[in-house]
């Protein structure tokens, strides 16, 4: 995989970096959740540098696998994610970022990436 990102060049706290369990591509999934309602908004990918930028700027930074570059949520869309908290799951292989979402979280213009294709509900379980 050729990319301009480098884990070695990251300024992420070494103690945090040592705990992260990354995929073969050096990435971890990052779930964005609305901080006050619990609504799951989207999933993106972060490497060490994206996580460092998220922690230090207060705005979510992700790694775009398709464009092979960093992107800050809202820089082009105006739909910002302001960080309220950041946590690792129990295995340190997923990041949960609680945010204050301004506007749509999904690139389609929907509030979340998870409301257009519901596979099952409590009343109608998949058979």
């Amino acid at each position: 995989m050729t990319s301009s990102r480098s884990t070695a060049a990251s300024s992420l706290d070494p103690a945090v970096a040592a705990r992260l369990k990354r995929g073969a591509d050096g990435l971890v999934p990052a779930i964005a959740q609305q901080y006050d309602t619990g609504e799951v908004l989207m999933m993106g990918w972060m490497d060490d540098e994206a996580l460092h930028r998220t922690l230090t700027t207060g705005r979510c930074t992700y790694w775009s696998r398709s464009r092979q570059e960093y992107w800050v949520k809202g820089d082009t869309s105006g739909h910002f994610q302001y960080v309220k908290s950041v946590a690792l799951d129990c295995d340190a292989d997923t990041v949960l970022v609680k945010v204050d979402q301004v506007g749509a979280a999904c690139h389609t213009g929907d509030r979340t990436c998870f409301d257009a294709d519901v596979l099952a509900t409590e009343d109608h379980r998949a058979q």
Side-chain angles (χ1 to χ4, degrees), residues 6 9 40 47 52 59 68 71 78 86 88 96 100 103 113 125:
S6 169
V40 176
D47 66 359
H52 168 71
R59 299 218 4 243
Q68 295 288 293
W71 59 279
V86 180
L88 293 176
L96 175 63
D100 188 10
C113 294
R125 301 217 188 274

Side-chain angles (χ1 to χ4, degrees), residues 2-62:
T2 304
S3 73
S4 60
R5 63 188 179 82
S6 169
T7 301
S10 174
S11 298
L12 183 63
D13 179 331
V16 175
R19 294 177 56 206
L20 282 179
K21 293 181 185 158
R22 302 162 198 81
D25 55 7
L27 301 172
V28 294
I31 306 297
Q33 181 181 36
Q34 180 63 34
Y35 82 99
D36 54 354
T37 66
E39 181 180 31
V40 176
L41 300 169
M42 61 171 280
M43 192 284 286
W45 296 99
M46 290 185 181
D47 66 359
D48 290 26
E49 182 59 21
L51 180 55
H52 168 71
R53 292 179 189 188
T54 298
L55 291 168
T56 58
T57 66
R59 299 218 4 243
C60 284
T61 300
Y62 299 98

